[in-house]
């Protein structure tokens, strides 16, 4: 002990005494300069009620105009309420309670505002109400929330008919201790605010608040060296959401002063802070130690005197060590000493318990085993829990820990091909029955759950503690599922152009008349039959002069116009016939299909429209019998099948299948073909936006020429011996999709 350096310890104690004196003097001067207020706190009375409920009655000089705004902190657990235009007339700043979770109440005046800080032993739920000139704050110990629970404190409740609130400015500031302060300036102090902690940040919702376009932005604040990396503000329906992204290990607090709402994010306090890679962060006051072969208990005593903490060492702590430390944080020095001697510590408030690591682990294991034994002997009770939105059989499946992937297997296999059979959920129910029970079920080993679908009631037989856990779980999931309307547009556009031009030429030279005599001559026509008929002098291959606008079909179902001309010289028997044929068709069309369907979040839905085309199938003859024909029906329909998932940012992920079938051209056997158009994909779309799922663009260009060899190639005259057919067909298929989320009043947002 001779080599120990105690100068830092004495210097620290002296500075602490000087600071205390300065604070007392400063407090006196501040109290003397405190401005007058119209109201004041004249009494604080803690009391305990039945059911471990603690009630604090705060007596005021005048009644409050509205319920005060407040905030909560998790580490340490505290609840703070701000009383505007109120002073402290108690004559003291602390009121001891030690009732249930309430340890004490601090009453601190700053200017014209007084803050009530309720120091707790654990995080609990609380309620506030006004009774005349008193403010009642009640705490419910049965509603204890763990450190990781997602408590949503409300700073104010906006009236339903109140005018929309506005955010005027959002600022980011860095505090002197490396903490981040996000200051939001509001149009008024009555704006409703919900705040909750997520895994990687803090989410703040301003209820019924308008965010100007200039403030809808994302601030990158990484360079400020705080736990906050970025602050994003955007509009979410009628509200405004602020997402504060953080890194490392941190804690936050929030408070409101008039129309300014401040969120403060700082590095986690305490000795157990760690970096992202798991290494501890030491922030203790630095000290220097130089020991030669000194007992471990003596070193722990020196650290206790230096820090002012209470250190309790187990009887098994012993041994000696030699160390030399200079300007090392005291918490790091303590960890080095414990690691060297195989010791460990447990912290409870300002008391540190030091013991061998194995001894601590064995003690904690024994405590857990004893607690588990008590739970196994705890009496069983039966509770009937009515459910509103979730089905009782689905709730039972969740409590037993069945695989939800197996439960949803039936819906994931749904498609337009199976849509005609219906989506009755039979496959999903069968998959749920076949699912294996998980080891991590919500109920205890002795717990059982059944249900009654007629009243949609869940019946649970388990311990009282487990039943309360189930109630808390069901209160969070038994909520109305959001609904979405999906609108699809299937556009089929075609543009067809066709032109057909040709000539038929025939002639007979010489020979005798058809009235008698020999029939000799030369026949020249567009076909073999016509040429033979002309050569023989038959009138079969000739036509009288006429213009034919008949029903003949040659191109696209249209009727071509034909012109026939016959020249006959009776004296010589010469005959010339000429037929011109021309057709031009220009067809344009557009088919629009617009199916719509409304469904619940993560529930598949389908809508169908179409026809069933009959096909006749022949069956072979059997011995001693005759063959028969059977009729089969093939679907040709318009189908929209969707399975939506609504995200928290009001965008929608859609597993969608759109199918558009239509009867096509009739085959040679007289049976119609089916034109199929189908798309199946997954896409993410914002609420109300339209996305193009895909399209098919098809172009057909044909230019056919039928001609007589050699004669069809002659200049000018060749057009009399050939036929040209030109076709241009353009077909385009486009599929559009628009999701619209429905609010609770079933109006489109």
């Amino acid at each position: 002990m001779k080599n120990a350096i105690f100068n830092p310890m004495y210097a620290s104690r002296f500075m602490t005494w000087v600071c205390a004196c300065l604070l007392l003097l400063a407090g006196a001067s501040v109290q003397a300069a405190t401005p007058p207020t119209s109201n004041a706190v004249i009494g604080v009375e803690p009391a305990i009620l039945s059911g471990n409920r603690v009630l604090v009655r705060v007596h005021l000089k005048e009644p409050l105009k509205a319920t005060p705004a407040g905030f909560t902190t998790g580490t340490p657990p505290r609840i703070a309420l701000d009383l505007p235009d109120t002073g402290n007339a108690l004559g003291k700043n602390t009121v001891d309670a030690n009732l249930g979770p309430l340890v004490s109440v601090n009453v601190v005046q700053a200017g014209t505002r007084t803050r009530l800080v309720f120091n707790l032993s654990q995080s609990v739920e609380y309620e506030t109400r006004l009774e005349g000139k008193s403010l009642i704050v009640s705490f419910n110990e049965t509603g204890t929330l763990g450190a990781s629970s997602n408590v949503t404190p409300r700073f104010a409740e906006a009236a339903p008919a109140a005018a929309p609130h506005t955010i005027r400015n959002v600022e980011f500031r860095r505090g002197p201790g490396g903490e981040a302060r996000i200051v939001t300036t509001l149009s008024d102090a009555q704006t409703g605010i919900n705040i909750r902690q997520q895994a990687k940040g803090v989410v703040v919702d301003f209820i019924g608040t308008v965010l100007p376009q200039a403030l809808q932005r994302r601030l990158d604040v990484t360079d400020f060296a705080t736990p906050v990396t970025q602050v994003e503000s955007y509009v979410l329906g009628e509200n405004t959401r602020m997402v504060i992204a953080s890194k490392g290990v941190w804690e936050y607090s929030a408070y409101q002063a008039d129309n300014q709402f401040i969120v403060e994010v700082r590095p986690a306090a305490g000795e157990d802070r760690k970096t992202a890679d798991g290494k501890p962060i030491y922030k203790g006051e630095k000290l220097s130690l130089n020991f030669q072969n000194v007992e471990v208990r003596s070193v722990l005593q020196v650290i206790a005197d230096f820090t002012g903490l209470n250190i309790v060492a187990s009887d098994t702590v012993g041994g000696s060590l030699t160390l030399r430390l200079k300007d090392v944080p005291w918490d790091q020095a303590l960890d080095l000493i414990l690691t060297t001697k195989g010791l460990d510590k447990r912290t409870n408030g300002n008391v540190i318990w030091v013991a061998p690591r194995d001894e601590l682990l064995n003690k904690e294991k024994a405590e857990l085993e004893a607690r588990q034994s008590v739970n196994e002997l705890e009496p069983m009770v039966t509770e009937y829990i009515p459910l509103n939105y979730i089905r009782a059989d689905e709730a039972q499946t969740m409590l037993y820990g069945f695989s939800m992937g197996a439960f949803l297997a039936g819906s994931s296999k749904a498609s337009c091909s199976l849509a005609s059979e219906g989506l009755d959920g039979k496959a999903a129910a069968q998959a749920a029955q076949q699912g294996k029970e998980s080891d991590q079920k919500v109920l205890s080993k002795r717990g059982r759950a059944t249900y009654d679908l007629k009243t949609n009631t869940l019946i649970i037989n388990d311990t009282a503690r487990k039943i309360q856990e189930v109630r808390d779980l069901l209160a969070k999931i038994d909520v109305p599922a959001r609904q979405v309307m999906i609108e699809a547009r299937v556009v089929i556009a075609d543009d067809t152009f066709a032109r057909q031009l040709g000539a038929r030429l025939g002639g007979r030279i010489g020979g005798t008349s058809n009235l008698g005599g020999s029939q000799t001559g030369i026949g020249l026509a567009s076909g073999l039959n016509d040429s033979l008929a002309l050569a023989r002098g038959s009138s079969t291959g000739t036509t009288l002069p006429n213009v034919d606008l008949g029903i003949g079909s040659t191109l696209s179902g249209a009727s071509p116009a034909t012109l026939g001309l016959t020249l006959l010289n009776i004296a010589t028997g010469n005959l010339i016939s000429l037929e011109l044929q021309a057709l031009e068709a220009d067809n344009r069309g557009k088919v629009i299909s617009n199916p719509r369907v409304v469904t619940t979040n993560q529930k598949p839905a389908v809508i169908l429209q179409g026809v069933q085309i009959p096909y006749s199938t022949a069956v072979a003859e059997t011995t001693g019998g005759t063959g028969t024909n059977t009729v089969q029906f093939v679907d040709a329909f318009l189908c929209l099948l969707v399975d939506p998932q609504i995200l928290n940012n009001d965008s929608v992920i859609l597993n969608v299948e759109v199918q558009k079938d239509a009867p096509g051209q009739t085959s040679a056997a007289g049976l119609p073909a089916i034109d199929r158009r189908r798309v199946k994909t997954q896409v993410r779309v914002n609420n109300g936006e339209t996305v193009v799922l895909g399209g098919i663009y098809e172009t057909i260009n044909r230019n056919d020429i039928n001609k007589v060899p050699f004669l069809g190639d002659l200049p000018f005259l060749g057009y009399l011996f050939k036929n040209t057919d030109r076709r241009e067909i353009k077909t385009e298929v486009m599929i559009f999709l628009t999701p619209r989320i429905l609010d609770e009043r079933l109006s489109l947002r």
Side-chain angles (χ1 to χ4, degrees), residues 167-234:
I167 294 180
R168 296 180 177 176
N169 194 17
V170 177
E171 296 180 281
F172 180 85
R173 302 172 185 173
R174 186 182 188 275
E179 67 275 10
R181 291 195 182 101
I182 298 90
V183 182
T184 305
T185 304
L186 307 172
S187 59
D188 55 272
Q190 301 302 320
T191 303
I193 303 174
N194 296 341
I195 183 171
R196 64 183 183 275
Q197 179 178 346
Q198 291 184 346
K200 295 184 179 180
V202 180
V203 178
V204 185
D205 288 333
F206 299 90
I207 309 301
T209 305
V210 178
L211 181 66
Q213 185 68 29
L215 298 180
Q216 297 180 18
R217 59 191 178 183
R218 177 181 298 176
L219 302 177
D220 188 352
V221 294
T222 308
D223 296 338
F224 286 86
T226 66
V228 177
T229 57
Q230 66 180 17
V231 179
E232 182 179 5
S233 304
Y234 56 89

Side-chain angles (χ1 to χ4, degrees), residues 595-625:
R596 300 182 183 181
V597 64
V598 178
T599 183
T600 306
N601 184 27
Q602 296 186 2
K603 293 293 184 181
V606 64
I607 185 170
L608 287 172
Q609 180 187 9
V611 297
Q612 287 187 324
I613 301 176
Y615 282 89
S616 178
T617 304
V619 179
E621 295 184 5
T622 59
T623 303

Side-chain angles (χ1 to χ4, degrees), residues 17 36 67 124 128 137 151 250 257 285 358 366 415 492 557 594 630 647 656 682 699 710 747:
W17 179 79
T67 304
V124 296
T128 59
V137 183
V151 186
W250 48 272
E285 189 177 354
D358 295 339
S415 65
I492 304 175
N594 187 202
T630 60
L647 305 181
V656 59
Q682 183 185 79
T699 302
F710 181 72
S747 62

Side-chain angles (χ1 to χ4, degrees), residues 505-510 512 514 519-543 566 573 575-577:
L505 177 62
R508 180 167 62 87
I509 302 175
T512 61
N514 294 335
Q519 299 179 356
T520 60
I522 299 175
L524 188 62
S526 60
L528 179 61
N529 295 331
D530 290 340
S531 62
L532 291 175
L534 290 173
R536 295 172 181 172
S538 173
S539 60
T540 305
T542 63
T543 58
T566 302
L575 175 65
I576 298 176
S577 63

Side-chain angles (χ1 to χ4, degrees), residues 67-70 82-86 110-115 155-156 165-166 168 183-193 206 255-262:
T67 304
D82 289 337
L83 308 180
D85 194 22
T86 304
T112 60
R113 176 171 57 91
T114 296
R115 172 169 293 180
F155 286 79
H165 310 282
T166 306
R168 296 180 177 176
V183 182
T184 305
T185 304
L186 307 172
S187 59
D188 55 272
Q190 301 302 320
T191 303
I193 303 174
F206 299 90
Y255 56 93
Q256 184 173 351
D258 295 332
N259 64 335
Q260 284 193 338
F261 178 72
I262 298 97

Side-chain angles (χ1 to χ4, degrees), residues 242 313 469 604 666 669 733:
M242 176 184 294
E469 293 180 4
T666 303
V733 180

Side-chain angles (χ1 to χ4, degrees), residues 496-500 555-556 583-586 725-728:
T496 304
F497 174 80
R499 176 184 294 169
Q500 190 178 57
L555 178 64
S556 302
L583 171 68
E584 183 173 327
D586 192 357
D725 186 359
R726 177 188 172 192
R727 301 185 186 186
E728 293 182 3

